[in-house]
């Protein structure tokens, strides 16, 4: 296993303190040239990123983008084929055991002993760490009080996720990994989990989360990396990502056969048009475009359904980067 | 250590709350014991005694003694030679053998006239592993001789106690250690199912993200299974002894050694199953495929020497044969199929082989 990642020249320290991306090794997570392949599938194709102390960093991308593989390598659960990973100053490939007491982990699927109660599972995980928070405190913090004596197999999806997060916080970790923490949850449960993540940030913890929900990434993440096919396509704050690509705004309406994409592209100030079930017209001058659009619609005697004007979102960024929608 | 204990307790709680697992490992052997115990309870003891009678004297006195025994309502006599009588007893066909030695008549006559050197003796054979039956035998012999001796100054005839190991234990005595072997097998083999389920549910992966070490995980699993096997051994032995009057004549320490050795060997087999089964369902299937042939070919329900030759060959290869055989030997003094050292060696080979395969093939995630 170790022979795979032999570094040809020992002098080439990928974590050079002079590295502008990681001055003096200040990053909580530093990833350089990370590569992982499963058979013919290139799960992670050479990515670099840094996570700074105290921020919520998101890996955003569709299923199969390589997010989970990346996170599991950072957690010490998988060995990379190539590249370097340093988490909390620890070289994960060399000393995974030095890292584990200091991180909290919530896997993509809440992995819980089905026959144990909430209290019992928390107590069990506490026994794995030399220092831990009290069970009562965790149960209160995660609002599991009413279910403390329920076996985990009868918990709702939201309760299971909250318990999984409680287990990630048992050792009072500096760094928390949350892999798809809200997948499959109803909106209320999702909001309650978002509050938990924002709470972690307020407590000064660093959080790395993966998601394929734009809204979640926009609300929670200080910075994020958009991943697809094992690569990072773009990285930055939500504002940076959006404004870098879209100075313009989007005019949207329900797709109709009455107006065609080439016709829309010919309208004044239009930069681009996307037909994704809804019609998206990106424009640098909303007034000019919408006036012409309405005139066009009137000439065809159609009404544009759900006409709206909005700022570009991460969804638009993703669409622009990959040519397809993230949702579904 | 704290983590090891906590994980063991968590495993035991999970186990106790899993009714299917409880049924197979705890209730199932007991149901079998009760079922077969009640069906076969009448056999052997239960009031009447069958005595193989070997008269090497042939005198009027010996005939008179025979008639005294035959006159008892609860005694059935089968007259034969001493060798044949002992063979019958070894085969479990009769409860005891009484041999009237040559010269009995003369000794009795001499004793009756006051000129003898002592009482005449008859040899009474019992199996020490069947204490209850031996008691019944001596009670009956004592009752008959009491009449013969007629309360004289010195007894004319006294029993000369002899012991013999019988091959066929009464059924329940044979069955209880066999069921203990069977349940030890299940405790070990069935460890595969929750382990595969934990892997499938990503619990093993989640544990890998904590400081818990793999040796602690395996250790707690072994510890928990040993505790279950020991609990079960106590229950089965207690039910056998208290409900069905099975005499545990052998060594408790040796019994414990084989329960532990057997548990570890079958646990190794369980880990092999867990190494090849990808899903809980697959583990269930593989466990059944292994357990049922073992159950029926290991001499648990029928002695191995009554099986067809081809099946005997299979029986000789499977570990449960040796575990149950060893348990019968050390608990109730059953006739050996293989010497104890060989039983221990075979189980050790399965144990080492199983752990070697599992340690190479087991996937944690």
């Amino acid at each position: 296993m170790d022979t795979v990642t032999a570094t040809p020249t020992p002098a080439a320290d990928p974590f050079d303190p002079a590295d502008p991306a990681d001055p003096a090794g200040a990053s909580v997570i530093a990833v350089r040239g990370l590569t992982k392949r499963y058979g013919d599938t290139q799960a992670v194709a050479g990515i670099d990123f840094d996570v700074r102390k105290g921020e919520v960093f998101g890996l955003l991308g569709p299923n199969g983008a390589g997010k989970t593989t990346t996170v599991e390598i950072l957690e010490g659960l998988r060995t990379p084929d190539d590249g370097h990973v340093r988490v909390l100053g620890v070289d994960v490939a060399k000393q995974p055991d030095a890292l584990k007491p200091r991180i909290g982990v919530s896997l993509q699927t809440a992995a819980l002993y089905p026959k144990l109660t909430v209290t019992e599972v928390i107590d069990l995980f506490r026994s794995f760490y030399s220092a831990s928070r009290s069970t009562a405190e965790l149960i209160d913090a995660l609002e599991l009080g009413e279910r403390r004596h329920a076996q985990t197999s009868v918990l709702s999806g939201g309760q299971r996720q909250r318990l999984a997060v409680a287990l990630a916080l048992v050792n009072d970790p500096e760094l928390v990994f949350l892999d798809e923490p809200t997948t499959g949850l109803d909106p209320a449960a999702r909001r309650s989990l978002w509050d938990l993540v924002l709470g972690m940030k307020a407590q000064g913890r660093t959080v790395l989360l993966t998601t394929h929900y734009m809204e979640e990434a926009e609300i929670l993440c200080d910075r994020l990396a958009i991943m697809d096919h094992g690569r990072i396509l773009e990285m930055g704050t939500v504002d940076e990502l959006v404004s870098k690509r879209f100075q313009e705004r989007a005019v949207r309406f329900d797709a109709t056969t009455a107006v065609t994409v080439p016709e829309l592209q010919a309208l004044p100030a239009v930069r681009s048009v996307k037909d994704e079930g809804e019609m998206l017209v990106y424009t640098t001058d909303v007034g000019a475009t919408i006036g012409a659009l309405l005139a066009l619609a009137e000439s065809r005697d159609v009404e544009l359904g759900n006409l709206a004007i909005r700022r570009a979102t991460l969804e638009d960024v993703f669409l622009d980067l990959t040519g397809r929608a993230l949702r579904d | 250590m704290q983590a090891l204990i906590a994980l063991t307790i968590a495993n035991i709680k999970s186990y106790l709350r899993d009714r299917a697992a409880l049924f197979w490992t705890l209730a199932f052997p007991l149901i079998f014991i009760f079922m077969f115990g009640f069906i076969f309870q009448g056999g052997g003891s239960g009031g009447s005694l069958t005595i193989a009678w070997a008269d090497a004297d042939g005198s009027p006195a010996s005939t008179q003694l025979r008639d005294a025994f035959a006159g008892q309502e609860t005694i059935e006599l089968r007259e034969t030679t001493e060798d044949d009588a002992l063979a019958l007893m070894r085969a479990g066909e009769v409860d005891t053998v009484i041999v009237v030695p040559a010269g009995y008549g003369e000794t009795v006559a001499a004793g009756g006239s006051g000129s003898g050197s002592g009482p005449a003796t008859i040899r009474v054979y019992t199996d020490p592993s069947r204490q209850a039956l031996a008691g019944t035998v001596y009670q009956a012999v004592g009752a008959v001789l009491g009449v013969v001796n007629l309360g004289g100054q010195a007894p004319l005839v006294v029993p000369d106690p002899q012991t013999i190991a019988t091959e066929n234990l009464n059924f329940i005595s044979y069955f209880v250690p066999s069921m203990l072997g069977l349940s030890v097998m299940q405790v070990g083999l069935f460890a595969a199912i929750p382990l595969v389920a934990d892997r499938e549910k990503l619990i093993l992966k989640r544990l890998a993200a904590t400081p818990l070490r793999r040796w602690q995980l395996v250790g707690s699993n072994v510890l928990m299974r040993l505790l279950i096997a020991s609990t079960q051994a106590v229950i089965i032995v207690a039910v056998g002894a208290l409900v069905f009057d099975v005499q545990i004549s052998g060594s408790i320490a040796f019994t414990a050694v084989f329960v532990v050795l057997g548990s570890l060997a079958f646990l190794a087999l369980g880990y092999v199953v867990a190494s090849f089964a990808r899903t809980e369902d697959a583990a269930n299937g593989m466990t059944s495929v292994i357990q049922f042939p073992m159950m029926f070919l290991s001499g648990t329900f029928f002695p191995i020497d009554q099986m067809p030759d081809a099946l005997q060959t299979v029986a000789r290869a499977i570990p449960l044969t040796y575990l149950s055989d060893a348990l019968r030997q050390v608990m109730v003094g059953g006739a050996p199929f293989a010497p104890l050292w060989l039983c221990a060696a075979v189980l050790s080979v399965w144990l080492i082989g199983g752990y070697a395969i599992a340690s190479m093939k087991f996937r944690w995630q």
Side-chain angles (χ1 to χ4, degrees), chain A residues 159-322:
Chain A
Q159 289 164 341
R160 291 172 63 80
Q161 272 307 340
R162 284 214 300 279
L163 178 53
V165 171
L167 297 180
L169 295 175
V170 154
N171 55 330
D172 205 4
E174 303 156 60
L175 171 62
V176 183
F177 293 95
L178 304 173
D179 194 358
E180 303 268 358
T182 65
T183 298
L185 298 191
D186 61 57
R190 181 168 295 163
R191 288 222 169 70
S192 116
L193 237 128
W194 289 348
D195 288 341
L196 286 173
V197 175
L198 294 172
M200 290 179 204
K201 188 187 165 190
Q203 289 161 352
R205 295 181 215 279
T206 309
V207 178
L208 174 64
L209 68 85
T210 74
T211 184
H212 59 268
Y213 297 117
M214 296 291 167
E215 195 189 2
E216 184 162 295
E218 283 180 2
I219 290 173
L220 295 180
C221 297
D222 296 308
R223 289 194 310 131
L224 53 97
I226 295 177
M227 276 190 90
D228 194 29
H229 298 305
R231 295 181 190 283
I232 290 179
L233 304 178
E234 202 84 69
M235 191 158 46
T237 65
V238 175
D239 278 345
E240 280 166 5
L241 289 174
V242 173
S243 59
K244 188 167 164 188
R245 285 188 175 266
F246 301 102
Q247 261 77 44
E248 66 268 32
R249 304 218 162 186
V251 177
R252 59 100 35 226
F253 54 90
D254 295 344
T256 164
T257 50
V259 288
T260 63
V261 172
E263 283 170 339
L264 292 169
Q265 271 165 341
L267 296 177
V270 169
R271 289 276 296 269
S272 62
V273 177
K274 291 257 157 51
D275 181 358
E276 285 285 334
E278 60 176 357
M279 202 66 87
L280 290 169
V281 181
Y282 298 102
T283 170
T284 50
D285 184 343
V286 173
T289 304
I290 209 153
L293 177 63
L294 289 172
L296 179 64
E298 199 164 347
S299 72
R300 300 283 157 80
D301 200 22
V302 290
E303 198 174 322
L304 299 174
N306 296 315
L307 181 66
I309 302 159
R310 60 172 172 78
R311 197 186 70 145
T313 64
L314 279 176
E315 185 76 51
D316 302 312
V317 174
F318 190 82
L319 197 58
D320 196 52
L321 283 167
T322 66

Side-chain angles (χ1 to χ4, degrees), chain A residues 72 77-78 97 100-101 103 105 107 109-117 120 124-125 127-129 151 167-168, chain B residues 2-3 6-7 10-11 13-14 17-19 198 201-203 205-213 217 365:
Chain A
E72 289 184 354
L77 296 177
R78 292 181 189 278
D97 290 338
K100 285 170 184 173
I103 59 171
V105 167
L107 299 180
T109 313
L112 303 167
Y113 285 89
K115 301 275 176 191
L116 296 186
T117 68
E120 286 167 345
L124 175 63
F125 273 73
S127 78
F128 301 155
Y129 298 93
Q151 291 186 10
L167 297 180
Chain B
Q2 185 199 2
L7 195 57
N11 281 335
K13 279 180 180 165
S14 292
R17 290 168 194 173
D18 180 353
R19 295 205 183 90
D198 283 0
K201 293 190 185 92
L202 301 183
I203 291 173
K205 186 190 243 183
R206 180 64 186 88
L207 293 179
T210 72
L212 186 77
R213 303 297 168 95
L217 189 63
Q365 294 174 16

Side-chain angles (χ1 to χ4, degrees), chain B residues 127-174:
Chain B
D127 181 347
S129 70
R130 301 173 70 182
Q131 284 299 325
L133 181 60
T136 312
V137 167
Y138 280 106
Q139 208 176 2
V141 170
V144 174
L145 292 186
V147 175
V148 172
N149 289 331
L150 277 173
Q153 295 279 312
L156 287 173
V157 184
V158 294
D160 172 17
Q162 302 284 326
T163 58
I164 178 177
T166 54
E167 242 165 58
N168 279 18
L169 299 166
N170 67 26
F171 186 80
I172 194 73
S173 298
Y174 179 91

Side-chain angles (χ1 to χ4, degrees), chain A residues 17-68:
Chain A
D19 183 348
D22 184 21
S27 294
V28 169
I29 297 174
V31 176
R32 298 290 177 276
L34 181 63
T35 302
K36 180 72 180 181
R37 171 181 284 279
Y38 301 118
D40 288 340
T41 314
Q42 187 77 51
V44 180
I47 60 172
D48 306 85
F49 66 92
D50 287 83
V51 177
R52 298 171 200 141
K53 187 167 168 47
E55 75 176 345
V56 177
F57 187 89
L59 290 176
L60 175 72
N63 293 330
K67 309 186 299 284
T68 296

